[in-house]
Amino acid sequence: MAADRHTSHSAVSTKAAGIVGLAVMCSRILGLIREQIFAALFGGGRAMDAFTVAFRTPNLLRDLFAEGALSTAFITTFSKTIATDGDAAAWRLANKVATMAAVVLSAICLVGILIAPLLVALFAPGFDADKAHLTVMLARVMYPFILLVSLAALVMGMLNAKHVFGVPAMASSFFNLGSIAGGVLIGRWLDPHFGPRALVGLAIGTLIGGALQLAVQLPSLARLGYVFRADFHWRDAGVKKILRLMGPAVIAASSVQLNVMINSMFASTLGDGPIFWLAIAFRLMQLPLGVFGVALATVTLPVLSRLVAAGDSVKFRSELARGLRLAFLLTVPATIGLIILAEPIISVLYQHGRFNAYQTTQAAAALRFYAIGLTSYSAMKVLVPAFYALDRRKTPMIVSFIAVGVNLFFNWLFTFRLGWGHRGLALSTGCVAVTNFLLLYALMRRHVSHMHTGLLLRMLAKVLLAGAALGAVCWAGEHWLLAQWQVEATAPKALELLATITLAGVVFFALAALLRITEVTQVVGLVRQRLDRRRPRS
């Protein structure tokens, strides 16, 4: 009976991860389209450097207070409250936290608008006066985005804790749709030639997208019976627990974005272009990370929190180990593909309008080095929430301190000492991710015995073997099928790239199935069950 429950639980978890993965895939694709349009309209130089830094300033705060610390701490506490005290207590806690978030983050937005010049000077010290002035203006327009996306993250947490995953995952797609439509239309109205003034339209479009991301989730929350009532009684045990979790999580959950911000500081001294090249390379690296890593983390966190609350350490270890194996299975092939096919991918996606071949080469160089850390990033999406579920919140914080210090050293070494420019910044980020994961995994083994490390290593060896075959297909496709990609039109080049990626994916999963990788067998079994249910019965 226990085995049946575990099998059912795994199936539900895998199904939920699949739903989230598809929704996040849609969002990531729209995010790519958003950047493609902006790159074609403004190029990959001075203008987009300014917009990228302006957006990152409030975006860092978003990760600190919304999708990072607040989201992680809230989901952990909210899920445990449901498990121990029931829905009514959880809704009361949600009202208190939502009220506090609205008040505090509104104040943070106002402060951010006032000190925007100082923040831009801090994060982009290499900008000249005109570029810095434009960046400050755009940042001030976008600061209310912090409030909108923070409330959206809270709503997402409530829905995920109630096993509603699809709508929250799709919400970020509406952000992209709103920012594209609003940004382009308002930008064209302000400047039909899409000069620097049109960037204000993109900034306003960001706010429109943030509002849509929040609004689209509210009907689903209302159907669960939630009604918001302002509650200023913040001296609550649950609120205090969330705040205690948030302190360390402010650093730990946002170490990736903080390191990216540090990279921007270094990149701002390298002239016009490197900031945006790094941004689009990081976006492409995040595509598989968002689809697989975020999906696994979204489903895993509420599950792990409930297992800890129930005192079921056996299932906790099993679910954690399984999440790590899935992360490796899904991101190792993506890493290999991105490294080998970086230039054709960037060319197909971005080399249009004002974005030229030189910028394609520079962005592809960054993508190759970023991809080194992809698997580690994905695994950390599973590991970090596990520490919070165990109430070991200081561990990721300490590791993040170390990661930021290592990143600063590697940035100096690769970029200035060795002269690798923006490529060195991307390599530093990848190396830091690997270091971060290894430290977290070693520390988790101290807290949780029997992490199934041997099983993980055997599975990783099989994945690497299948990945070698995938790499061979990608290499052959680049040298034969895509041999003339530099001079080809976009349509045939895209078809050749798609054919290469499809064949490589088929070869990888076919070989993975022959090697009897358990997770592949589970996924195939779920697909077969779904197909059997849809077949008409005679």
Side-chain angles (χ1 to χ4, degrees):
M1 182 66 70
D4 291 341
R5 284 199 302 268
H6 179 70
T7 302
S8 176
H9 180 266
S10 297
V12 171
S13 179
T14 302
K15 180 181 178 181
I19 292 172
V20 174
L22 289 174
V24 174
M25 170 69 84
C26 179
S27 173
R28 297 296 182 181
I29 291 174
L30 286 171
L32 280 175
I33 293 172
R34 175 176 176 263
E35 284 194 344
Q36 286 177 311
I37 293 172
F38 294 173
L41 292 175
F42 296 97
R46 185 181 183 87
M48 288 309 298
D49 272 359
F51 180 81
T52 301
V53 171
F55 183 59
R56 275 187 182 161
T57 309
N59 200 40
L60 175 63
L61 295 176
R62 178 197 72 172
D63 285 301
L64 293 175
F65 295 105
E67 296 179 358
L70 177 59
S71 180
T72 302
F74 176 75
I75 293 174
T76 301
T77 308
F78 188 78
S79 297
K80 289 181 179 179
T81 302
I82 293 175
T84 57
D85 300 325
D87 287 353
W91 294 137
R92 289 194 296 271
L93 174 64
N95 281 330
K96 291 178 173 65
V97 175
T99 304
M100 182 175 63
V103 173
V104 174
L105 291 171
S106 295
I108 290 174
C109 290
L110 292 175
V111 173
I113 291 170
L114 292 174
I115 67 170
L118 295 176
L119 293 174
V120 171
L122 174 64
F123 295 129
F127 281 9
D128 59 44
D130 290 340
K131 194 173 180 180
H133 176 73
L134 175 61
T135 306
V136 169
M137 178 179 63
L138 296 174
R140 282 174 164 163
V141 173
M142 287 189 280
Y143 260 105
F145 173 72
I146 302 168
L147 174 62
L148 295 170
V149 78
S150 297
L151 295 176
L154 282 176
V155 175
M156 178 194 72
M158 296 183 223
L159 293 173
N160 287 345
K162 300 295 290 183
H163 302 290
V164 178
F165 297 104
V167 171
M170 281 297 297
S172 55
S173 295
F174 287 87
F175 162 74
N176 286 313
L177 289 171
S179 59
I180 291 170
V184 172
L185 291 175
I186 297 173
R188 182 172 182 175
W189 176 67
L190 292 173
D191 184 354
H193 301 290
F194 288 98
R197 187 180 178 185
L199 290 170
V200 177
L202 302 190
I204 297 172
T206 299
L207 299 183
I208 295 172
L212 286 176
Q213 184 174 352
L214 170 61
V216 73
Q217 299 182 79
L218 297 179
S220 295
L221 190 60
R223 283 194 291 271
L224 293 175
Y226 175 71
V227 178
F228 172 73
R229 294 182 178 88
D231 190 339
F232 294 91
H233 297 89
W234 301 340
R235 293 184 179 181
D236 177 81
V239 173
K240 291 178 180 178
K241 186 172 184 179
I242 290 171
L243 293 176
R244 285 197 301 269
L245 287 172
M246 278 187 64
V250 162
I251 299 167
S254 302
S255 61
V256 172
Q257 287 295 333
L258 185 57
N259 283 330
V260 171
M261 185 66 76
I262 291 171
N263 287 357
S264 292
M265 295 169 62
F266 281 85
S268 71
T269 66
L270 301 176
D272 292 333
I275 289 178
F276 189 58
W277 303 335
L278 288 168
I280 62 176
F282 195 71
R283 161 76 71 176
L284 284 173
M285 189 272 290
Q286 281 190 313
L287 180 60
L289 175 65
V291 173
F292 305 128
V294 174
L296 287 171
T298 300
V299 175
T300 300
L301 178 55
V303 171
L304 295 181
S305 297
R306 284 198 176 91
L307 291 175
V308 170
D312 196 339
S313 59
V314 175
K315 284 188 179 179
F316 178 88
R317 292 195 299 267
S318 177
E319 285 299 316
L320 178 58
R322 182 171 169 274
L324 290 174
R325 292 196 300 272
L326 280 172
F328 278 33
L329 172 67
L330 298 172
T331 55
V332 167
T335 297
I336 296 170
L338 287 175
I339 291 174
I340 296 175
L341 299 173
E343 286 192 351
I345 289 172
I346 296 284
S347 177
V348 167
L349 294 175
Y350 290 100
Q351 195 173 322
H352 312 286
R354 296 180 181 177
F355 197 95
N356 57 39
Y358 170 76
Q359 293 164 350
T360 292
T361 301
Q362 299 303 316
L367 177 58
R368 287 192 176 96
F369 287 120
Y370 270 141
I372 292 172
L374 173 58
T375 298
S376 296
Y377 280 137
S378 183
M380 284 191 292
K381 291 288 185 181
V382 177
L383 267 180
V384 171
F387 279 101
Y388 294 123
L390 290 170
D391 201 22
R392 301 278 184 176
R393 56 189 182 276
K394 292 183 180 179
T395 302
M397 180 190 70
I398 294 171
V399 172
S400 293
F401 269 126
I402 297 172
V404 172
V406 171
N407 188 43
L408 284 168
F409 170 74
F410 280 149
N411 280 351
W412 170 81
L413 175 65
F414 295 144
T415 302
F416 295 113
R417 185 69 177 175
L418 299 179
W420 293 353
H422 71 287
R423 295 170 298 170
L425 299 177
L427 176 59
S428 174
T429 302
C431 291
V432 168
V434 175
T435 303
N436 208 348
F437 164 69
L438 292 175
L439 285 173
L440 286 173
Y441 187 81
L443 292 170
M444 179 58 74
R445 288 191 66 189
R446 295 182 60 185
H447 297 311
V448 178
S449 59
H450 305 296
M451 279 281 290
H452 308 287
T453 302
L455 181 61
L456 178 64
L457 291 176
R458 288 193 295 273
M459 179 264 191
L460 180 59
K462 293 180 181 180
V463 169
L464 289 174
L465 182 60
L470 175 141
V473 173
C474 290
W475 183 89
E478 185 189 24
H479 284 76
W480 292 326
L481 193 59
L482 287 160
Q484 302 298 319
W485 69 264
Q486 295 95 334
V487 296
E488 281 186 310
T490 300
K493 181 165 50 180
L495 290 174
E496 292 162 1
L497 179 62
L498 179 61
T500 300
I501 293 173
T502 301
L503 179 59
V506 169
V507 168
F508 174 82
F509 283 104
L511 185 54
L514 289 174
L515 292 171
R516 296 183 179 180
I517 297 177
T518 305
E519 287 67 29
V520 174
T521 305
Q522 289 177 352
V523 172
V524 171
L526 289 172
V527 172
R528 286 178 176 174
Q529 289 177 12
R530 178 68 60 86
L531 292 176
D532 289 342
R533 290 173 184 172
R534 292 184 176 180
R535 286 176 183 169
R537 295 181 180 180
S538 56

